[in-house]
Amino acid sequence: MASSALNFVAVNPKLHQSPNPTPPPHRFTTARRFSTATRPIKASIFDPLSSITKPATSTSPETNLPIRQIPGDYGLPGIGPIHDRLDYFYNQGRDEFFKSRMQKYQSTIYRVNMPPGPFIATNSHVIVLLDGKSFPVLFDLSKVEKKNVFTGTYMPSTDLTGGYRILSYLDPSESNHTKLKQLLFNLIKSRRDYVIPEFNSSITDLFEVLEYDLATKGKADFAEASEQAAFNFLSRAFFGVRPVDTPLGKDAPTLISKWVLFNLAPILSVGLPKEIEEATLHTVRLPSALVQSDYHRLYEFFSSVAGPVLEEAEQSGISRDEACHNILFAVCFNSWGGFKILLPSLMNWIGRAGVELHTRLAREIRTATAAGVTMAAMEKMPLMKSVIYETMRIDPPVPLQYGKAKKDFVVESHDAAYEVKEGEMLFGYQPFATKDPKIFDRPEEFVPDRFVRDGEELLSHVMWSNGPETEQSSVANKQCAGKDFVVMVARLFVVELFRRYDSFDVEVAASPLGAKVTLTSLKRATF
C-alpha cells in the first residue's frame, strides 16, 4: 500500500514493462551457487552514479552548493516526447534511457520527457532525480503536490474506478485523503490478529501447489500459484472470507490483471511488436467499457464482504459506494499488485544468493520460532530482516515517483544545486537512487547482511514505501499506510519458506511483469 493504505505499486515498473527484450532464462542450481560473501549478486553491469562532477554557474543563499542550470531539453513539441518514448521502451530500455542521459549531461538531475506523451498526456516534461540526496524531495509535501500524479504525467479515466478519484490520486491537502487513509488504517488495525494465522493457511496452500507441480512436471511456475494465494490471504485476513466460497471463485487474479492493464497501458510494454504497442497502448486509451464487467464482479465481491468497513465509512462522511471502490483499489491494485511483484523478487534474489545464505536463514529462523511464529520471534531474526530490506533496496517495488512543485525551490544533488520552478513536474527513478555509491558500499551487489547491526542506519535510504523506511505513514503524508503490513508479510513469507525447506533452486528470466521465477526444486527441512 504505497500512496494509499495498501498501496504498494506506485507505479511499479514490473507492472509497466521490461523495456529490453526478454533474455533466455538463467538457471541457478545448488551445485553452482556461491556465497554472497565471495561473489555477490550484482543488479546491473554499471555503476550509474560514479564519477559525476558538475561545474558551478552561480550561488544561492538556500544552499552551500554551486547552482547549476538544469541540463537537458524536451525537444520539439510532439516530436521530442515521441522520440523519448521510443528510446524509453524500445531503442534503449528504461535503465539505459536514464543512464545515457546522465552520462551525457554529467548530472544526476536533468530534463527529459516521460511516457506516455501524445496523445494521452498533455505535458510529458519532467525533471529527473537519480541520486539518493535529491530523490527524497518527492516526499516533502511542503515543496511538492501529489494530486493526480500516482501514475505520472497522465491519469487513468475515473471510469475505471467507479467515477471517483481514488485515494492514490489525492493530495493530503484534500479532505477526503484523511478520511480514506484513516479508513484503511483502521481496517489494518482491526484485523491485525488474523494476519499470521491466515497467512499460514494461505502459504500452506501455495507450497502444496508448488510441490505438486514439481512432482508431476519437474518444475513449478511461481507466479500463478502465488498470485492466487496472495488474493486468498488478503481476503481472509481483512474480511474473513474465502473467495472460493463466493461467486468470485478463483477468478480474481485474472480479473485484476486485466483491469490493471487498462489503468497502466500507456506506460506498459507487454512484448508486442513496437508498431502495435505504439498504436494501441501508447497513443490512445483502451476503452474502459471493455473491462467494466470484470470490474463489476470485483466490486460486487467487496461490496458483499466489506460490510463493517463500509458502515464505518458512512459514519465518517464517505458514501458506501466511494468507500467500496477505494477498498477494491487498495486491496487489488495496491496490495495484490504489490505482492505480485515482491514475492517473486524475494524468490529471485534469495534463490540466486545460494545454499550458504539459505542455510544461515534456516538456522536463524528455526531457532527463533521454536515456540511458534510471532511478531516477537521475527524481531530476533536480524539476517532475515536485512535480506528483505536489501531486496527492497536493490529491486524496489515502488520505483517511479512523481510530484509537482508547489513553489520555486532549490533541489540538491551531492555536488550541485538546481532551481525548480513552481508547477514543474519532478520524477525520481528509485532503482538509481537506492544504488547511489555515495550512500551505499557495493551498491550494485545484493549483500544479505547490509542492514544488520550498524547497517540499520542505512534504512533511511530504503524508500520503497513512498518514504524512508525509518519514517511512519500518516494521514498527513503519502507514505504507504500498509508499510508495516507489507514488511510483516514479506517476513512471514521468508520465515515460512525456511521453516519448511532447507534450500530451493530457481530459474529466473525477464518478464513484462518483473522477474519470472520457475522453481526446479524444493529441498525439505532436514534439521
Side-chain angles (χ1 to χ4, degrees):
M1 306 174 343
S3 82
S4 68
L6 297 165
N7 180 357
F8 197 59
V9 189
V11 170
N12 201 300
K14 309 332 192 291
L15 291 177
H16 299 276
Q17 39 102 22
S18 179
N20 298 317
T22 301
H26 300 286
R27 184 176 179 83
F28 301 90
T29 63
T30 302
R32 297 179 187 173
R33 286 202 178 116
F34 47 79
S35 165
T36 54
T38 56
R39 289 181 60 197
I41 301 169
K42 292 194 175 184
S44 63
I45 61 172
F46 63 87
D47 180 346
L49 300 173
S50 61
S51 303
I52 290 181
T53 58
K54 300 172 270 303
T57 58
S58 63
T59 58
S60 166
E62 295 183 51
T63 178
N64 294 322
L65 292 170
I67 296 288
R68 286 190 71 202
Q69 278 196 336
I70 300 175
D73 63 78
Y74 303 117
L76 295 174
I79 297 174
I82 294 174
H83 177 271
D84 285 346
R85 184 173 74 201
L86 293 175
D87 279 351
Y88 181 90
F89 285 123
Y90 312 108
N91 299 334
Q92 294 179 302
R94 187 178 58 237
D95 281 9
E96 184 61 27
F97 176 84
F98 295 120
K99 178 193 172 188
S100 63
R101 287 157 178 78
M102 182 174 60
Q103 294 175 334
K104 175 182 178 181
Y105 302 127
Q106 286 294 289
S107 176
T108 54
I109 298 177
Y110 55 82
R111 299 182 185 277
V112 78
N113 297 288
M114 279 295 289
F119 294 94
I120 295 173
T122 57
N123 187 348
S124 59
H125 299 174
V126 303
I127 298 170
V128 175
L129 312 175
L130 296 180
D131 61 85
K133 186 175 181 181
S134 64
F135 188 89
V137 76
L138 293 162
F139 313 137
D140 185 346
L141 297 180
S142 70
K143 296 178 179 177
V144 301
E145 181 183 70
K146 292 287 190 173
K147 183 177 181 180
N148 297 340
V149 299
F150 178 65
T151 45
T153 59
Y154 84 104
M155 178 179 169
S157 169
T158 57
D159 290 342
L160 292 165
T161 50
Y164 297 99
R165 287 175 59 237
I166 297 299
L167 175 60
S168 293
Y169 296 95
L170 301 181
D171 185 78
S173 63
E174 300 178 77
S175 59
N176 259 17
H177 181 275
T178 295
K179 295 177 183 178
L180 289 168
K181 195 168 185 181
Q182 188 62 55
L183 183 70
L184 296 176
F185 275 143
N186 294 345
L187 172 61
I188 297 169
K189 183 178 180 180
S190 68
R191 300 291 298 181
R192 61 188 175 188
D193 293 337
Y194 297 90
V195 172
I196 292 179
E198 293 298 354
F199 186 85
N200 183 269
S201 297
S202 300
I203 204 70
T204 297
D205 294 342
L206 168 61
F207 288 133
E208 287 177 354
V209 171
L210 294 174
E211 288 187 9
Y212 176 80
D213 286 348
L214 281 167
T216 57
K217 304 175 185 177
K219 59 184 179 180
D221 181 356
F222 182 76
E224 182 177 355
S226 63
E227 289 168 16
Q228 189 68 60
F231 188 82
N232 291 345
F233 161 66
L234 291 167
S235 177
R236 291 160 66 163
F238 288 122
F239 310 110
V241 173
R242 288 170 16 115
V244 72
D245 296 331
T246 74
L248 189 61
K250 296 182 177 181
D251 294 342
T254 301
L255 300 176
I256 299 170
S257 295
K258 184 177 177 182
W259 170 64
V260 168
L261 170 65
F262 275 63
N263 278 270
L264 297 181
I267 47 177
L268 277 170
S269 177
V270 297
L272 296 173
K274 176 173 66 175
E275 295 76 14
I276 296 176
E277 285 195 346
E278 281 296 288
T280 60
L281 299 184
H282 303 153
T283 304
V284 296
R285 297 174 186 260
L286 296 177
S288 58
L290 297 179
V291 77
Q292 285 302 315
S293 61
D294 296 329
Y295 183 78
H296 182 70
R297 286 189 64 193
L298 293 169
Y299 178 87
E300 288 298 309
F301 171 78
F302 286 99
S303 180
S304 67
V305 303
V309 188
L310 302 183
E311 291 174 9
E312 180 187 343
E314 282 190 305
Q315 294 172 4
S316 68
I318 304 169
S319 72
R320 292 177 69 95
D321 186 55
E322 182 174 7
C324 190
H325 286 289
N326 274 273
I327 294 293
L328 187 162
F329 195 93
V331 174
C332 295
F333 192 106
N334 301 144
S335 299
W336 180 86
F339 291 133
K340 176 183 175 72
I341 305 307
L342 177 60
L343 299 185
S345 182
L346 289 167
M347 293 295 288
N348 174 22
W349 290 102
I350 296 173
R352 294 170 61 188
V355 68
E356 180 180 323
L357 175 62
H358 298 178
T359 302
R360 293 174 62 203
L361 284 168
R363 286 175 178 159
E364 178 184 79
I365 288 166
R366 293 171 198 174
T367 299
T369 60
V373 179
T374 63
M375 294 286 289
M378 289 192 289
E379 287 301 319
K380 299 176 182 177
M381 305 177 194
L383 177 61
M384 178 275 291
K385 293 190 293 182
S386 178
V387 163
I388 289 168
Y389 288 134
E390 178 69 345
T391 301
M392 291 174 162
R393 178 198 72 85
I394 203 167
D395 191 15
V398 188
L400 311 181
Q401 303 278 358
Y402 288 86
K404 183 171 290 187
K406 287 182 174 179
K407 60 183 180 181
D408 294 356
F409 65 89
V410 172
V411 61
E412 296 183 351
S413 68
H414 293 291
D415 306 299
Y418 304 83
E419 294 178 332
V420 174
K421 300 300 183 183
E422 179 181 352
E424 291 191 297
M425 182 78 86
L426 294 103
F427 159 77
Y429 185 51
Q430 189 170 162
F432 278 20
T434 54
K435 298 191 193 97
D436 187 333
K438 295 188 178 181
I439 294 174
F440 292 103
D441 182 42
R442 295 182 291 162
E444 300 293 324
E445 299 173 5
F446 181 82
V447 182
D449 302 275
R450 189 182 297 277
F451 298 102
V452 173
R453 294 182 292 276
D454 292 345
E456 290 187 353
E457 296 177 1
L458 291 169
L459 286 175
S460 62
H461 302 287
V462 176
M463 302 173 284
W464 69 269
S465 63
N466 206 15
E469 187 62 25
T470 50
E471 296 185 7
Q472 293 300 312
S473 178
S474 75
V475 296
N477 64 30
K478 292 299 290 183
Q479 188 163 24
C480 172
K483 176 172 79 76
D484 294 338
F485 169 76
V486 169
V487 172
M488 180 182 179
V489 171
R491 292 177 179 179
L492 287 171
F493 176 76
V494 176
V495 165
E496 293 299 338
L497 177 63
F498 286 103
R499 274 166 55 89
R500 289 168 166 81
Y501 306 103
D502 286 344
S503 187
F504 61 95
D505 295 309
V506 295
E507 294 176 350
V508 182
S511 164
L513 300 178
K516 177 177 173 56
V517 175
T518 301
L519 277 166
T520 57
S521 76
L522 282 169
K523 299 175 178 62
R524 283 189 171 275
T526 58
F527 63 88

